[in-house]
Amino acid sequence: RVLEVCALVIGPSTCAFLAEFGAEVIKFEGQRGDNMRFVTPYDYFWKNMSLGLEIQNHNKYWVGMHLGNPKAKELFLDFVKKSDVVVDNLTPGRMAEWGLSYKELKEINSRIIQLHVSGYGSWGPWTGRTSYDAIAQSMGGLSAITGFEERGPIKSGVWIADWITGLMCSIGILSALNYRERTGEGQFIDYLQAENVIRWLDWTWLYAFKTGKDRKRSGNRDLSICPSDLFDCVDGWVALAAFSKEEFQGLCKA
């Protein structure tokens, strides 16, 4: 059972991944509501619910309750007693202000796992700075290597820094659950969005470390595989990739 105290994308997507694989997720939505009710472009659908809210909040139970309220805190702690995981992506320290820090949750349930995810973590000079997807793509280095060399950096067309951070957070929670099965101990996980982006830039950071140079943008080309490109053809764009000699021969024959 997962208790979600989240809004926007990272936290809700973390819990959505867990829900899709069978976890019981209970979402606690504060008095202002999850901002994703309003930010998705183009259209609103059934009862004015936006697509952005639906895509990462399905398979969940919902409770409208602001945990800063003393009565709400009391009810939430009752849930903690019989739950496994608490997830929040609030401003670092907000849960502690409400008396819901990991230390306090652990007193209620010694086996509880709490994951807090934010842009820059709970400690350090940038703690508390707001991080959105475009900022995380930039700070993590993804934007710098995306796009064409003769043009400026470009961000991904989807909130990839949010979604992959959510996926990695869900993996962290599963790892903590596995650890708890072996040891009986819960734990606190502090996850950083910007640092997470760095993790999945393949060989970029090792190249920079070894050579002292930045990786250049290469547009539609894959620098390791030829061909592995997008081509503008007379009847539309075509994606081609041939890794081995046999695949290249087959491509030429086709």
Side-chain angles (χ1 to χ4, degrees):
R1 178 179 292 119
V2 179
L3 307 181
E4 175 189 321
V5 190
C6 302
L8 293 172
V9 182
I10 298 180
S13 66
T14 296
C15 299
F17 287 126
L18 297 173
E20 287 169 3
F21 286 101
E24 179 185 279
V25 176
I26 305 173
K27 181 183 177 80
F28 292 84
E29 190 173 6
Q31 56 191 4
R32 292 191 301 172
D34 190 329
N35 290 340
M36 288 306 293
R37 290 182 176 275
F38 319 109
V39 302
T40 308
Y42 302 129
D43 208 348
Y44 297 96
F45 293 87
W46 185 74
K47 292 190 176 181
N48 287 329
M49 183 180 289
S50 74
L51 295 179
L53 186 77
E54 292 191 73
I55 195 64
Q56 63 233 4
N57 285 293
H58 53 279
N59 292 10
K60 300 177 182 180
Y61 294 103
W62 294 66
V63 179
M65 198 165 73
H66 176 47
L67 299 186
N69 182 290
K71 181 62 176 176
K73 173 187 173 182
E74 180 182 338
L75 291 170
F76 184 78
L77 290 176
D78 284 339
F79 277 100
V80 171
K81 293 176 184 177
K82 47 190 176 182
S83 298
D84 302 287
V85 181
V86 174
V87 180
D88 87 273
N89 67 333
L90 307 178
T91 302
R94 181 65 53 79
M95 293 286 280
E97 290 177 8
W98 295 339
L100 299 173
S101 67
Y102 174 66
K103 179 182 178 181
E104 290 157 316
L105 298 184
K106 190 176 180 179
E107 292 175 355
I108 299 295
N109 180 352
S110 63
R111 291 167 54 86
I112 199 71
I113 295 163
Q114 183 179 15
L115 181 138
H116 167 73
V117 56
S118 59
Y120 307 104
S122 297
W123 300 273
W126 284 21
T127 294
R129 282 194 180 190
T130 301
S131 177
Y132 294 108
D133 177 84
I135 307 301
Q137 289 188 42
S138 175
M139 292 302 300
L142 177 61
S143 298
I145 64 171
T146 305
F148 292 87
E149 185 175 0
E150 65 275 12
R151 305 177 193 172
I154 193 170
K155 76 176 190 68
S156 171
V158 297
W159 295 321
I160 192 169
D162 284 341
W163 279 99
I164 295 187
T165 301
L167 178 61
M168 295 301 292
C169 284
S170 68
I171 293 173
I173 289 169
L174 294 176
S175 300
L177 287 167
N178 178 268
Y179 179 80
R180 192 185 70 178
E181 287 296 308
R182 293 185 286 110
T183 67
E185 298 179 9
Q187 59 183 291
F188 176 76
I189 305 170
D190 189 57
Y191 209 93
L192 287 68
Q193 184 185 28
E195 190 172 75
N196 175 70
V197 175
I198 297 172
R199 173 61 184 86
W200 37 268
L201 293 190
D202 53 57
W203 48 267
T204 303
W205 292 100
L206 186 58
Y207 171 80
F209 172 72
K210 291 290 187 180
T211 67
K213 301 177 182 178
D214 291 331
R215 176 178 172 178
K216 295 181 179 180
R217 292 183 291 278
S218 56
N220 287 332
R221 294 177 292 112
D222 188 318
L223 300 178
S224 304
I225 304 173
C226 183
S228 181
D229 309 304
L230 299 176
F231 299 92
D232 189 5
C233 302
V234 292
D235 55 351
W237 285 85
V238 175
L240 295 177
F243 183 78
S244 66
K245 179 179 179 180
E246 293 76 17
E247 289 174 348
F248 182 71
Q249 289 173 342
L251 174 62
C252 293
K253 182 178 179 180

